[in-house]
């Protein structure tokens, strides 16, 4: 540096050292966002003796939302101060999740009560839109009425949520009554509690395992022999996953994915609300096998009944097992993806991680982590006690095992149907659902939820199982089956699903963030540009970070491919539909 440059630098320093200038000037306003003392007292009283750990941020945000019906900027600042976090970090987490109503300084307070009307596919088919408009017109300014993605009541569509009370087959009258009577809390049904479960032989397998009467290798062998696969959608072999986690150096952790937000899916809720200990025993067996000292159970916020049941029953478990943490989602479909789920458990935005490393190598808090779906763990006890041959004795059309199909749409008897793996849609409708609803003719179906594609009724003889649908650009996923009839518009169904994916995209990667929006805009046009939509779909599949962007176009491309009569102006083969 030259003498001239040094002199210039010294002059700059002296300039800001001058009294009344720069860093020596007394500030009229302290730097940064100031904490309101009243808000600070409220936050401290609300948190009490609860730890201020970073991973509990979302849990603490829920306490604020539940108590005040919203989250003010003053409360965010006070929470950030209390947890020793930057305000921006707390703000970006709170605003990522749909169920946190963050109110800025210049915003109006949100109404004390929120009514959410599900507008996902099955509810839309059964009258969600007119219900939403009627409620918005009738309930006035004292109640906020908004759209909501799938709430897991597809077999009771249309569904609405008043506070945390979910109404099945909702009507204007039923919602009005719930609002008038302030019926805003979940109603817990009868279920198999701890004592009843124990009386029926529950936890004997777990006790034998812990006592050494049943070896870890015996557990792994029956999982391998039975070929139990992950029933949350990916279908990864369960025994292989458990072995992979065991092969990593400890300490190890376990996480349970109870965040089934895929439109059309509600089987996990079904089992949690009825037989929670069968799931808990499978979970504790898995934790013992991989030697996980702590287990995190992540339950979507739309399942308050399941969360309450689990809280009640986990407290009854005898001492000696792993420490169980019950974590609450906050309205983010993407957190059903395993890496996003881990981010959320850690108290962050649910943004998917790049892979590798995979969760079994570097998972929760950087430790090897076993992640399983609820239904996968639900079957572990039965598989161990009854044996692999029992499991494999079920099945049709060359497949084996059992599948819990979440069936909704135009059938007489929707709901969770336990059926043999490999059953066809025709068999599922006729044998397990009582046939089509009165006055409806079967025309199309979704074999695997929102991202599993759409097939015509003419393709009704395909075995529904892992590996049987991929050749058609579809997959079974979590076995969420939505049945459409001649009274439904297939193109409108695909558009409904694309709007869902656009809304639920986290925005982290451009192919998904911009691709879902662009696809939705193109699909809203009267004539679809199938060639452009095909190219866009290919880009989303090839370049998106996680499964949302990679699979969001499946309904779109399958409609173009299997319903050609809807596109008479399209050039044959113009669209690259995969």
């Amino acid at each position: 540096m030259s003498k001239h440059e040094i002199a210039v630098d010294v002059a700059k320093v002296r300039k800001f050292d001058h009294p009344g200038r720069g860093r020596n000037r007394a500030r009229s306003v302290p730097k940064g966002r100031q904490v309101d003392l009243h808000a600070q007292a409220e936050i401290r009283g609300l948190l009490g003796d609860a730890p201020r750990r970073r991973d509990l941020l979302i849990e603490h945000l829920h306490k604020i939302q539940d108590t005040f019906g919203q989250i003010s900027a003053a409360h965010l600042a006070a929470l950030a101060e209390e947890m020793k976090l930057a305000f921006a970090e707390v703000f970006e987490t709170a605003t990522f999740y749909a169920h946190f109503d963050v109110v800025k300084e210049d915003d109006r307070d949100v109404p004390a009560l929120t009514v959410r009307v599900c507008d996902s596919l099955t509810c839309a088919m059964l009258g969600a839109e007119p219900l939403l408009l009627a409620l918005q017109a009738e309930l006035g300014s004292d109640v906020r009425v908004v759209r909501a993605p799938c709430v897991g009541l597809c077999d009771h569509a249309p569904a609405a949520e008043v506070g945390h009370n979910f109404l099945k087959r909702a009507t204007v009258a039923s919602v009005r009554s719930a609002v008038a009577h302030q019926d805003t809390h979940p109603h817990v049904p009868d279920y198999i509690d701890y004592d009843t479960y124990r009386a029926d032989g529950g936890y004997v397998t777990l006790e034998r395992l812990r006592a050494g009467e049943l070896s870890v290798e015996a557990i792994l062998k029956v999982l391998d022999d039975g070929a139990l696969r992950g029933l949350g959608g990916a279908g990864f072999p369960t025994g292989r996953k458990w072995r992979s986690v065991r092969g990593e150096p400890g300490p190890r952790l376990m996480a349970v994915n109870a965040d089934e937000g895929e439109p059309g899916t509600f089987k996990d809720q079904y089992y949690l609300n009825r037989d929670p200990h069968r799931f808990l025993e499978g979970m504790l067996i898995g934790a013992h096998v991989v030697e996980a000292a702590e287990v995190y159970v992540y339950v979507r916020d739309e399942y308050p009944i399941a969360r309450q049941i689990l809280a009640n029953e986990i407290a009854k478990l005898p001492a000696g097992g792993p420490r169980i943490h019950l974590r609450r989602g906050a309205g983010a479909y993407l957190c059903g993806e395993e890496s996003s789920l881990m981010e959320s458990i850690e108290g962050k935005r649910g943004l998917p991680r790049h892979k590798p490393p995979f969760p079994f190598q570097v998972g929760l808090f950087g430790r090897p982590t076993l992640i399983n779906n609820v239904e996968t763990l639900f079957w572990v006890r039965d598989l161990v006690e009854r044996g692999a041959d029992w499991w494999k004795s079920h099945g049709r059309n060359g497949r084996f095992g059992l599948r819990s199909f979440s069936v909704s749409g135009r059938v007489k008897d929707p709901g969770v149907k336990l059926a043999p793996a490999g059953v066809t849609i025709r068999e599922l409708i006729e044998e397990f659902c009582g046939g089509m609803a009165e006055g409806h003719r079967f025309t199309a179906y979704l074999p695997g939820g929102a991202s599993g594609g759409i097939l015509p009724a003419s393709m009704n003889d395909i075995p529904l199982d892992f590996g049987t649908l991929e050749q058609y650009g579809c997959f079974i996923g979590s076995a969420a089956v939505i049945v459409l009839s001649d009274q439904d518009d297939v193109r409108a169904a695909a558009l409904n699903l694309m709007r869902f994916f656009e809304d639920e995209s986290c925005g982290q990667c451009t192919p998904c963030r911009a691709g879902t929006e662009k696809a939705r805009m193109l699909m809203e046009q009267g004539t679809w540009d199938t060639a452009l939509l095909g190219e866009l779909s290919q880009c989303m599949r090839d370049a998106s970070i996680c499964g949302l962007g990679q699979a969001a176009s499946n309904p779109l491309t399958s409609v173009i491919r299997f319903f050609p009569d809807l596109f008479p102006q399209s050039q044959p083969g113009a669209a690259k539909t995969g």
Side-chain angles (χ1 to χ4, degrees):
M1 181 180 289
S2 68
K3 291 182 179 181
H4 173 72
E5 291 172 325
I6 293 174
V8 170
D9 284 347
V10 170
K12 289 180 180 178
V13 172
R14 287 174 176 170
K15 175 182 177 181
F16 286 102
D17 278 346
H18 191 277
R21 291 180 180 266
R23 57 189 173 90
N24 287 336
R25 182 178 60 191
R27 293 183 179 276
S28 59
V29 178
K31 184 179 180 181
R33 182 180 294 272
Q34 299 309 295
V35 176
D36 179 85
L37 295 181
H38 178 68
Q40 185 178 54
E42 287 181 323
I43 293 300
R44 286 178 176 173
L46 192 61
L47 300 188
D49 296 331
R52 271 59 167 172
R53 298 195 316 268
R54 175 66 173 83
D55 63 291
L56 292 173
L57 174 57
I58 294 173
E59 296 297 306
H60 294 339
L61 288 169
H62 273 302
K63 291 181 180 179
I64 300 173
Q65 178 74 40
D66 291 345
T67 303
F68 300 102
Q70 60 186 26
I71 302 177
S72 67
H75 283 142
L76 280 181
L79 181 62
E81 177 74 15
E82 193 68 16
M83 298 187 70
K84 308 302 182 204
L85 296 171
F87 177 85
E89 195 171 1
V90 176
F91 179 83
E92 71 175 11
T93 300
T95 54
F96 179 85
Y97 295 94
H99 290 184
F100 293 142
D101 297 313
V102 179
V103 181
K104 302 173 185 177
E105 290 95 332
D106 54 349
D107 286 347
R108 295 173 53 193
D109 288 351
V110 299
L113 181 61
T114 296
V115 172
R116 290 183 167 89
V117 178
C118 176
D119 69 349
S120 288
L121 182 55
T122 305
C123 285
M125 290 163 55
L126 295 172
E129 189 67 23
L131 175 63
L132 174 74
L133 296 176
L135 290 173
Q136 288 175 334
E138 179 166 326
L139 295 182
S141 59
D142 293 335
V143 178
R144 184 177 60 152
V145 181
V146 298
R147 300 176 183 274
C150 186
V151 298
L153 291 176
C154 315
D155 52 336
H156 300 285
E161 178 186 2
V162 180
H164 284 296
N165 178 20
F166 289 83
L167 303 181
K168 301 175 179 179
R169 297 186 176 90
T171 63
V172 173
S174 66
V175 174
R176 187 195 308 120
S177 176
V179 170
H181 294 91
Q182 292 294 297
D183 188 8
T184 60
H185 298 289
H187 303 281
V188 178
D190 293 334
Y191 62 90
I192 300 173
D193 63 7
Y194 178 76
D195 292 335
T196 305
Y197 184 76
R198 285 301 307 250
D200 192 36
Y203 291 111
V204 171
T205 298
L206 176 64
E207 290 169 350
R208 292 181 59 218
L209 177 63
R210 289 178 173 174
E213 299 173 15
L214 185 64
S215 70
V216 166
E217 186 54 41
I219 298 289
L220 294 171
K221 186 176 187 303
V222 75
L223 294 179
D224 290 339
D225 291 347
L228 179 66
R229 300 177 68 166
L231 299 174
F236 193 85
T238 304
R240 190 192 308 173
K241 178 181 284 191
W242 290 20
R243 289 182 189 276
S244 297
V245 177
R246 274 181 60 86
E248 295 294 316
R252 308 179 194 96
L253 298 173
M254 182 177 183
V256 176
N257 188 343
D259 193 65
E260 56 171 3
E262 182 87 355
T265 308
F266 45 90
K267 62 185 178 61
D268 289 349
Q269 178 181 218
Y270 176 86
Y271 289 122
L272 289 174
N273 288 2
R274 288 163 175 76
D275 196 357
H277 285 283
R278 194 170 299 270
F279 149 70
L280 288 172
E281 183 169 9
M283 179 189 79
L284 293 172
I285 289 172
H288 183 91
V289 167
V290 302
E291 300 174 356
E294 296 186 76
V295 179
Y296 292 80
V297 184
Y298 188 92
V299 184
R300 68 186 307 223
D301 197 31
E302 292 85 348
Y303 288 179
I305 293 174
R307 195 170 62 251
Q308 184 61 57
I309 290 173
L310 287 174
N312 293 344
E313 299 306 309
I314 287 172
K316 299 176 184 178
L317 295 175
R323 184 180 180 187
I324 302 173
H325 305 269
L326 192 57
R327 292 295 174 86
R328 178 179 172 185
Y333 162 74
L334 193 60
C335 289
E337 192 273 335
E338 60 182 11
S339 67
S340 300
L341 176 141
M342 292 189 295
E343 290 288 295
S344 191
I345 290 175
E346 293 178 5
K348 307 171 187 174
R349 294 177 295 166
L351 301 178
R353 300 176 182 178
H354 290 278
K355 302 174 186 177
F358 296 96
F360 79 89
Q361 300 164 315
V362 181
L364 269 176
F365 310 109
R367 300 178 181 177
T369 304
L370 172 63
I371 304 179
N372 277 132
N373 160 263
V374 168
E375 194 200 354
T376 307
L377 299 170
F378 184 87
W379 290 114
V380 168
R381 174 195 165 187
D382 286 285
L383 193 55
V384 173
E385 293 181 359
R386 302 188 185 193
D389 290 341
W390 163 78
W391 180 258
K392 298 178 80 169
S393 68
H394 300 280
R396 291 188 186 178
N397 302 309
R399 318 302 294 182
F400 59 84
L402 292 167
R403 293 289 177 271
S404 299
F405 292 92
S406 303
V407 185
S408 64
R410 307 297 190 177
V411 294
K412 284 184 180 178
D413 183 24
V416 174
K417 309 298 178 180
L418 185 61
V423 67
T424 66
I425 185 63
R426 176 179 53 79
E427 294 167 336
L428 189 63
I429 293 173
E430 294 177 0
E431 298 179 33
F432 295 87
C433 300
M436 293 293 293
E438 198 68 34
H440 290 267
R441 179 173 57 84
F442 178 40
T443 59
Y445 66 106
L446 282 71
S451 55
I454 304 177
L455 294 172
S458 58
M459 299 174 67
N460 64 0
D461 58 351
I462 303 171
L464 299 179
D465 197 15
F466 297 112
T468 61
L469 294 156
E470 282 76 1
Q471 61 181 308
Y472 308 108
C474 301
F475 54 79
I476 190 172
S478 58
V481 176
I482 303 177
V483 179
L484 280 65
S485 78
D486 55 338
Q487 298 184 27
D488 300 308
D489 184 339
V490 176
R491 293 206 329 175
L495 175 58
N496 176 284
L497 299 173
M498 188 57 70
R499 285 174 176 155
F500 168 80
F501 290 124
E502 178 190 5
D503 187 60
E504 293 294 336
S505 173
C506 72
Q508 182 177 195
C509 65
T510 301
C512 177
R513 180 185 68 251
T516 52
E517 179 185 24
K518 181 66 173 178
R520 185 262 304 164
M521 294 170 63
L522 290 170
M523 294 167 73
E524 287 176 339
Q525 298 178 6
T527 301
W528 285 11
D529 185 337
T530 55
L532 182 56
L533 283 167
E535 293 176 6
L536 180 61
S537 299
Q538 190 68 50
C539 175
M540 291 167 62
R541 282 195 297 271
D542 291 345
S544 295
I545 293 174
C546 78
L548 190 155
Q550 294 164 8
S553 64
N554 285 344
L556 158 65
T557 55
S558 57
V559 167
I560 294 174
R561 178 179 179 182
F562 296 113
F563 298 85
D565 293 345
L566 300 177
F567 311 100
Q569 299 178 8
S570 299
Q571 292 294 327
K576 299 178 181 179
T577 55

